[in-house]
Amino acid sequence: LFLESRYSLDQSLHTRGYLGILEEMFSGAGFEVLYHQYDRRWALGGSVNFVRQRDYEKNFNHLDYKTTTGFLSFYYATPFGNFDLAVHAGKYLARDKGITFEARRTFDSGFEIGAFFSKTDVSAAEFGEGSFDKGLTFRIPFDYFLSSHNRGAYTTVLRSMNRDGGRRLDDFGQTLWFDRRSIRLDRLIDNKDRMRP
């Protein structure tokens, strides 16, 4: 349950703002900006989120815990294999600071699979088993199963361990690059055969 607005200030600068229940355990407000020149394979981004922890009953009540998260990001689209690489550095939900490395591959069908890991200033002993946050991401487009065109998709994250360290807001922050993937020049070049009459 959230409100979202997206706006491009010019051809290279894109923004996203949002407010509401942002994920299972956090509500708040945030803002994301992406600088990406249309004909480049790289981009720079940033995000900031002001959040408060939701009550365990998952209603509209909140706990006392609140924090601000923020990240600077670098993105790169590889010229082979439809891979997108990203590095995010900043402050996480547990107030730890560190860096997240991310790689995703998108298939022509729209199906997407990715992997990530985050290493922060939380020690391995304090983090516990696994010593740092890591996981897999999946995106399954509805368009693949429906007869009519649909841009919706089901996304999920699988983690080997659920810990507080290295956690970002799921689906809020660092998403403009991936959401704009289908209209980037590198993707249009890869699909130029589909644009011929």
Side-chain angles (χ1 to χ4, degrees), residues 32-53:
E32 180 185 3
V33 62
L34 177 74
Y35 174 77
H36 174 235
Q37 294 184 19
Y38 173 72
D39 58 348
R40 299 290 188 263
R41 288 188 174 272
W42 61 271
L44 297 173
S47 69
V48 62
N49 298 289
F50 309 94
V51 296
R52 188 169 180 182
Q53 189 174 9

Side-chain angles (χ1 to χ4, degrees), residues 6 32 34 74-76 83-88 102-106 112 137 139 151 168 173-184:
R6 297 178 184 225
E32 180 185 3
L34 177 74
F74 175 79
Y75 306 92
Y76 181 70
F83 282 98
D84 287 293
L85 308 177
V87 180
H88 314 288
E102 185 176 11
R104 297 188 192 183
R105 183 179 183 194
T106 304
E112 184 180 286
T137 62
R139 181 182 184 275
R151 296 186 67 186
R168 298 181 296 155
Q174 298 82 44
T175 63
L176 282 175
W177 169 259
F178 297 105
D179 288 350
R180 294 178 52 80
R181 187 177 202 282
S182 62
I183 58 172
R184 295 186 336 230

Side-chain angles (χ1 to χ4, degrees), residues 69-170:
T69 72
F71 294 92
L72 294 176
S73 303
F74 175 79
Y75 306 92
Y76 181 70
T78 66
F80 55 86
N82 289 340
F83 282 98
D84 287 293
L85 308 177
V87 180
H88 314 288
K91 181 182 174 186
Y92 297 81
L93 289 170
R95 297 176 181 156
D96 50 333
K97 297 175 182 176
I99 191 166
T100 296
F101 295 92
E102 185 176 11
R104 297 188 192 183
R105 183 179 183 194
T106 304
F107 297 88
D108 291 339
S109 64
F111 182 82
E112 184 180 286
I113 185 171
F116 67 90
F117 72 90
S118 301
K119 187 66 177 172
T120 72
D121 55 6
V122 176
S123 69
E126 187 178 358
F127 187 91
E129 183 181 355
S131 75
F132 58 90
D133 189 48
K134 51 194 169 293
L136 300 173
T137 62
F138 297 91
R139 181 182 184 275
I140 304 171
F142 295 149
D143 200 25
Y144 190 71
F145 302 99
L146 301 175
S147 58
S148 60
H149 181 65
N150 189 303
R151 296 186 67 186
Y154 172 75
T155 60
T156 188
V157 178
L158 297 178
R159 286 180 167 89
S160 57
M161 295 288 175
N162 276 313
R163 298 285 189 271
D164 290 336
R167 293 299 288 266
R168 298 181 296 155
L169 286 172
D170 290 336

